[in-house]
Amino acid sequence: MEPLLGPEENRTQSLPLIPTGKGSTEERKRFYQNVSISQGEGGFEINLDHRKLKTPQAKLFTVPSEALAIAVATEWDSQKDTIKFYTMHLTTLCNTALDNPTQRSKMQLIRAAVKFLETDTVCYRVEEPPALAELQKNEWDPIVAWAEERYNVAIGSSTSILGPNIPASTKDTFVSHLASYNMWALQGIEYIITQLKSLILSMGVIDRHITVEKAVLLSRLEEEYQIQRWGNVEWAHDYDLCELRARAAAGTLFVHLCSESTTVKHKLLQD
């Protein structure tokens, strides 16, 4: 593999980062030995052999908290001989927050998240078969009831293909609640929602009401029912389940690390 930086470029202490967008299957031979973090003017930076990481849009890869920087550095440090960019969910989320490729404002992010209520997985119910309808009632009703009590809203559910009729006041309440998060955290919230196809499950995870494993199971309830009834393709089910858990867990960790003001005072990575 050709050197990523020549002798002259090495002095600039910067390192272009290969894009790690959603669905990326990029891999590359590992070209660094040590991973570390440092504090700069704009926040905490990631260093690969003392060269600073950059985003796909060539911005300096800088994150707002030491804890998040350590988590991202751990992703890079855990790569073996081959860098599998598609496994680096925290790095991808940071790239999205820094580059904002869709150029959306905070309110646009919030409204996109709240719009998921109209098609929320746990609000769509079936009437047939009765066993699946009963399973949905038993498993989804409690999380909907929790959300209604937690946020003092009305949500409900529906067997209509049009979905439930979500009151405008409910949407306004969620808009106000999400406005309390910063732009970085909102990117993470939207990421979780797109994985679980549910704002309600996502808020349950973020609020620590349910675990990531539970949220993933609830989001895949109908699929799990069909698998138990008809069986599944060998390995495919377990792989998809693990991938979804990894993405949802990364998004949840990202939100928490972007929302907390405390910093990690101990060094996690050792040279």
Side-chain angles (χ1 to χ4, degrees):
M1 182 185 73
E2 295 182 359
L4 194 63
L5 296 173
E8 293 298 320
E9 294 173 301
N10 274 335
R11 299 194 188 107
T12 67
Q13 298 287 301
S14 63
L15 182 64
L17 178 63
I18 292 176
T20 54
K22 182 179 178 181
S24 171
T25 57
E26 288 280 3
E27 292 188 7
R28 186 172 192 168
K29 183 178 179 181
R30 178 165 172 160
F31 52 85
Y32 55 90
Q33 293 296 322
N34 300 311
V35 184
S36 63
I37 66 172
S38 57
Q39 188 168 9
E41 294 181 1
F44 294 87
E45 302 162 359
I46 310 299
N47 307 300
L48 306 181
D49 291 340
H50 309 294
R51 294 175 294 181
K52 297 184 185 299
L53 213 53
K54 286 190 175 183
T55 71
Q57 292 185 13
K59 295 179 182 178
L60 185 63
F61 192 100
T62 306
V63 300
S65 75
E66 184 180 12
L68 180 56
I70 290 175
V72 171
T74 301
E75 277 192 334
W76 284 87
D77 194 51
S78 64
Q79 300 299 307
K80 304 304 181 183
D81 294 337
T82 301
I83 308 170
K84 298 180 179 180
F85 292 101
Y86 53 87
T87 68
M88 303 169 75
H89 306 303
L90 293 175
T91 299
T92 299
L93 282 164
C94 289
N95 283 335
T96 302
L98 287 165
D99 286 344
N100 190 14
T102 55
Q103 295 300 303
R104 286 181 297 171
S105 66
K106 181 174 182 178
M107 186 51 65
Q108 286 175 319
L109 279 172
I110 291 171
R111 294 201 178 280
V114 173
K115 189 172 179 59
F116 266 88
L117 267 177
E118 300 172 3
T119 57
D120 200 291
T121 294
V122 300
C123 293
Y124 273 84
R125 308 296 175 86
V126 300
E127 293 180 316
E128 299 289 341
L132 177 57
E134 183 69 16
L135 183 64
Q136 290 178 340
K137 176 179 174 60
N138 292 339
E139 296 294 336
W140 285 349
D141 277 4
I143 190 67
V144 173
W146 166 82
E148 290 180 327
E149 181 179 358
R150 164 71 174 82
Y151 300 103
N152 191 26
V153 295
I155 298 174
S157 61
S158 174
T159 57
S160 168
I161 192 172
L162 299 177
N165 183 19
I166 305 295
S169 58
T170 296
K171 296 179 182 178
D172 291 341
T173 296
F174 277 108
V175 166
S176 297
H177 176 73
L178 291 174
S180 65
Y181 290 92
N182 59 42
M183 280 286 288
W184 282 67
L186 286 171
Q187 295 280 5
I189 290 172
E190 185 184 45
Y191 182 77
I192 304 169
I193 292 173
T194 57
Q195 305 307 315
L196 301 178
K197 305 298 186 292
S198 169
L199 173 63
I200 296 171
L201 292 177
S202 299
M203 298 315 299
V205 168
I206 293 168
D207 284 355
R208 298 181 173 91
H209 174 68
I210 56 175
T211 64
V212 168
E213 290 81 6
K214 179 68 172 179
V216 167
L217 180 61
L218 291 176
S219 74
R220 292 166 51 93
L221 197 63
E222 184 171 355
E223 184 176 353
E224 294 294 330
Y225 169 82
Q226 298 295 349
I227 287 172
Q228 289 182 13
R229 186 176 182 184
W230 303 109
N232 63 286
V233 178
E234 189 175 2
W235 299 111
H237 168 259
D238 291 341
Y239 177 82
D240 290 344
L241 185 63
C242 289
E243 276 292 296
L244 183 53
R245 283 176 178 170
R247 291 192 294 269
T252 304
L253 178 60
F254 184 82
V255 172
H256 289 161
L257 294 181
C258 291
S259 303
E260 296 173 356
S261 59
T262 56
T263 57
V264 176
K265 298 185 181 297
H266 65 276
K267 186 176 181 183
L268 184 62
L269 293 175
Q270 306 251 340
D271 291 338

